[in-house]
């Protein structure tokens, strides 16, 4: 079996590592700012001045999670508190984190706003009509909790719709669900990616096959062609291309960041896949030590994995 705790931890570390360059859509500017590593760049609005992109993390410090990492943590805590996936408990935890007076302090995206409205209206499913990366941000913790269960894919799709009640999200999410399930079951990254393709159909499967076939290409160039933005039809092919060429965890995260755009959103899933496949010792200790609140998060990762 894969290192389940490292899957969740790898997602958290990948998200925090990408925060400083999140939504910088200018790979040339990013390249000019990067030294030996793009990971854990302190958030600085000056990095975005005169460049393509938007800086939204004014309240954040180096080592903090983005709203994607927080979405993962909301699911993680809901699973620990309820002992299993419970839609109502997940929705309550989501509202307690992101709603008025909640624990989250930072940017609120379209999917989060729409989900809060759906929860308040008691709409089922409660998700926004949105096809972006929040659809899969919760999956690393959830798939660890569901590993080995025959109903895992159906339960995971229910959780996807809590934040993303959208046909495009429904079409792309099975690739993420199946890929994580296979790697957590002990498969290689390649095995996981192929399982994701097998769970997909039509244009989704074709796009993911093409992404894997492009593994020898520069991820910056590839992302420039398929798109660097948040929607799953852009993000998932970049995720697949990066993972198809990854030899270790740092490479996967570094290339995710350097591909620019919504690198935080991609890094949650990339970090989970690479963490599960390569194990906790593959995640640089220097990176893990930079994650704010990391001791409590790591304890939660071990608890859910056990």
């Amino acid at each position: 079996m894969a290192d389940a705790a490292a899957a969740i931890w790898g997602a958290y570390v990948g998200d925090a590592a990408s925060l400083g360059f999140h939504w910088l859509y200018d790979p040339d500017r990013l390249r000019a700012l990067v030294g030996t590593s793009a990971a854990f760049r302190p958030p600085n609005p000056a990095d975005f001045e005169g460049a393509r992109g938007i800086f939204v993390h004014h309240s954040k410090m180096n080592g903090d999670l983005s709203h994607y990492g927080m979405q993962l943590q909301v699911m993680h805590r809901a699973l620990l508190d309820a002992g299993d996936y419970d839609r109502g408990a997940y929705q309550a935890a989501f509202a307690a984190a992101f709603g008025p007076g909640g624990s989250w302090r930072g940017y609120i995206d379209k999917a989060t706003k729409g989900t809060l409205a759906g929860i308040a209206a008691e709409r089922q499913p409660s998700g926004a009509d949105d096809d972006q990366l929040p659809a899969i941000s919760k999956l690393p913790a959830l798939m660890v909790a569901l590993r080995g269960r025959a109903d895992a894919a159906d339960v995971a799709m229910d959780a996807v719709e809590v934040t993303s009640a959208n046909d495009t999200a429904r079409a792309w999410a099975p690739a993420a669900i199946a890929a994580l399930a296979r790697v957590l079951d002990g498969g290689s990254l390649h095995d996981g990616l192929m399982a994701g393709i097998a769970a997909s159909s039509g244009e989704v499967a074709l796009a993911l096959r093409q992404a894997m076939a492009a593994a020898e290409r520069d991820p910056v160039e590839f992302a420039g062609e398929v798109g660097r933005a948040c929607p799953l039809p852009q993000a998932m092919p970049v995720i697949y291309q990066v993972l198809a060429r990854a030899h270790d965890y740092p490479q996967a995260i570094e290339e995710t960041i350097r591909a620019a755009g919504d690198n935080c959103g991609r890094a949650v899933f990339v970090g989970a896949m690479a963490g599960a496949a390569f194990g906790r010792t593959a995640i640089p200790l220097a990176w893990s030590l930079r994650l704010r609140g990391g001791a409590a998060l790591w304890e939660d990762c071990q608890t859910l994995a056990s």
Side-chain angles (χ1 to χ4, degrees):
M1 297 291 287
D3 190 338
I8 314 171
W9 184 250
Y12 285 133
V13 172
D15 176 68
S18 308
L19 185 70
F21 288 125
H22 185 215
W23 282 333
L24 178 59
Y25 277 84
D26 192 329
D28 293 332
R29 168 64 66 83
L30 197 156
R31 187 181 299 111
L33 293 169
V34 169
T36 57
S37 172
F40 288 96
R41 174 83 172 182
N44 185 353
D47 289 347
F48 289 67
E49 291 178 1
R52 298 187 304 278
I54 178 173
F55 184 79
V56 301
H57 298 303
H58 296 274
S59 65
K60 297 301 173 187
M61 299 175 61
N62 201 10
D64 278 335
L65 298 175
S66 76
H67 54 290
Y68 292 115
M70 184 62 175
Q71 291 224 11
L72 170 59
Q73 190 176 10
V74 166
M75 172 60 82
H76 192 172
R77 288 303 320 169
L79 289 164
L80 290 175
D81 291 343
D84 197 355
Y85 173 73
D86 178 272
R87 184 198 302 160
Y90 174 37
Q91 290 169 324
F94 193 98
F98 290 107
S103 57
W104 172 248
R105 297 292 182 271
Y107 182 78
I108 299 286
D109 62 10
K110 175 187 171 184
T112 303
K113 292 176 183 176
T115 300
L116 290 171
I119 293 171
E122 300 183 353
R123 186 176 67 226
Q124 299 295 350
S126 56
D129 183 11
D130 186 88
D131 66 352
Q132 300 179 84
L133 279 161
I136 65 171
S137 297
K138 75 219 50 187
L139 291 179
L142 180 60
M143 297 310 296
V144 165
L146 297 176
R147 65 193 188 280
R149 281 176 48 170
D151 65 345
D154 291 336
V155 174
M157 281 301 298
D158 185 275
V160 166
E161 291 190 328
V162 167
T163 61
S164 310
N166 171 275
D167 286 343
T168 302
R170 293 183 184 102
W172 284 85
I177 293 166
L180 265 175
R182 182 69 186 92
V183 172
L184 286 167
D185 193 42
S188 67
L189 277 181
H190 182 270
D191 293 339
L193 297 176
M194 293 304 295
I197 291 173
S200 307
S201 60
E203 294 181 0
V204 174
L206 176 60
L208 296 179
R209 287 193 194 96
Q210 291 173 337
M212 290 189 71
E216 298 304 317
R217 296 183 57 193
D218 178 4
V220 176
E221 178 187 3
F222 181 76
E225 293 181 5
V226 302
R228 311 181 195 279
C230 319
L232 293 172
Q234 297 183 43
M236 282 295 290
V238 178
I239 286 169
Y240 258 62
Q241 196 260 355
V242 166
L243 288 172
R245 56 185 278 111
H247 299 296
D248 55 37
Y249 180 92
Q251 177 197 354
I253 298 301
E254 290 278 358
E255 292 191 343
T256 300
I257 298 171
R258 292 169 191 259
D262 194 10
N263 37 31
C264 268
R266 298 190 303 263
V268 170
F269 191 81
V270 168
M273 290 283 288
F278 298 121
R280 66 190 68 181
T281 59
I283 302 171
L285 178 60
W287 290 13
S288 291
L289 291 174
R290 289 182 179 179
L291 187 60
R292 297 186 73 203
L297 280 176
W298 175 241
E299 184 176 345
D300 285 346
C301 291
Q302 292 179 296
T303 300
L304 188 64
S306 65

